[in-house]
Amino acid sequence: MGDPGVEGPVWLPSLPPSLGEYLAPNLQPVPLIPALTLLAALFYVAGAISLWRQGRHWSPVRTVSFLFGCLAIIVVMGAGIEGYGLRMFSIFMFQQLTLMMAVPPLLVIGSPGTLLLRATPRGRFGRPVLKAALWGLRSRWGRLAIHPAFMVPLFLLSFYGVYFSGLADLLLPNWYGHVGLELLFLAAGILFTVPLISADPLPTRQTHFGRMLDIFAEMPLHAFFGVVIMMATAPMVKFFAAPPESWNVDPMQDQGLAGGLAWSYGELPGVLLLMFILVRWQREEARGWVKADRTAAVAGDPDLDAYNEYLRQLANRPVRRR
C-alpha cells in the first residue's frame, strides 16, 4: 500500500515490527537495488563458471564471499525490513550500516574486478567491456575515487552530512531520494573498503601503514556519531518522528537504538578490517623474509659477507706485543 508520507511507489507494512515481519519476502513495488544486486550476482556466477569450464582456477572462497554480500543486500533491501526502514530510524540506520560496513568487505574480497578481466571474452562483445575496465583503472578519476582525500570524507559525509545538515529530511520523503541515499551508502562503503583490502588491480595502492591510518581516522568519528545520536534530546530526523501509531514505537527510544547501532554494529566491521590488514601485512612481511633468505642462500648476502670478511681480517691481524 502507499504511504502518504512518502512520495513515489512504496509499500508500508501495517503490522507492528517483529523479526518475522522484517524477514518476510515483501518486495517494494520497484525493488531497484535488489534487482541490480541479483543481476550482479548472476554475472559473477557466470564468470566463475566460465573459468571453471575452461579448467582455469577461480577461488570458491571468493565466490562465496561475493554471493553472501549480494544476499545480504537482497535481504536488507528486498525483504520487509525495507518497508519498516521507511518509518523507523533504527531500521534505516541498520540498513545504512549494513550497506556501508558489512556488505562492502564481502563484495571486495570476492575480487569482482579480477574476475571481470579474466572471464570477459576478448571477442567483439567483450572488447568494449575490457576497454572500459582498463580505462577506469588508468584514469585520473579512478585514482581520485579511491584516494583517502576523497573517500574518507565521502564516507564520513554519509553520516554527519546526511543527518546534521537536514539532507535526510529533504531526500527521505521522496522515493528517488530514499533509494539514492541507499545507493550512496553502498558506493561510499565500497570506495572506502577497496583500497584497504582489495586484491584487484588498482590505479594506486596504499601502504599497509596508510591503510591503518584510514581505519584509525574513521573509527573514532564513527563512534562519536553514534554517541551524539544517543544523547540527542529531540528527533534528529523529522521524517522518523511520527511512526504509525499501530506500531507502538517510541520515536526517541527508536532514535537511541539507532545511535547504539551506529556505535556498536558500525564499529565491529572496522575492527575486523583492521585485523584483516594486520594479518595480510604480517603474511607479506613473512613472504619477504623467506624470499630474502632464499636469495641469500643462492647469491649470498653482501652486507653479511662484508661483515664476515671484516671479522676474518681482524682474526688474521697479527697481535703486537709490548
Side-chain angles (χ1 to χ4, degrees), residues 47 106 112 122 137-138 145 170 174 235 241 243 251 253 273 300:
L106 294 172
R122 267 58 178 175
L137 289 174
R138 297 168 180 171
L170 178 65
N174 184 281
Q253 290 183 356
L273 281 176

Side-chain angles (χ1 to χ4, degrees), residues 46-69:
I49 292 176
S50 175
L51 291 182
W52 291 332
R53 293 181 63 181
Q54 297 173 33
R56 301 165 64 187
H57 174 73
W58 183 252
S59 171
V61 174
R62 294 188 183 278
T63 304
V64 171
S65 177
F66 188 87
L67 294 181
F68 262 109

Side-chain angles (χ1 to χ4, degrees), residues 27-45:
L27 286 173
Q28 291 294 317
V30 184
L32 178 64
I33 296 178
L36 292 176
T37 303
L38 180 60
L39 188 63
L42 292 175
F43 276 120
Y44 189 98
V45 171

Side-chain angles (χ1 to χ4, degrees), residues 144-156:
L144 174 64
I146 61 174
H147 194 280
F150 175 78
M151 58 88 174
V152 172
L154 175 65
F155 190 85
L156 296 177

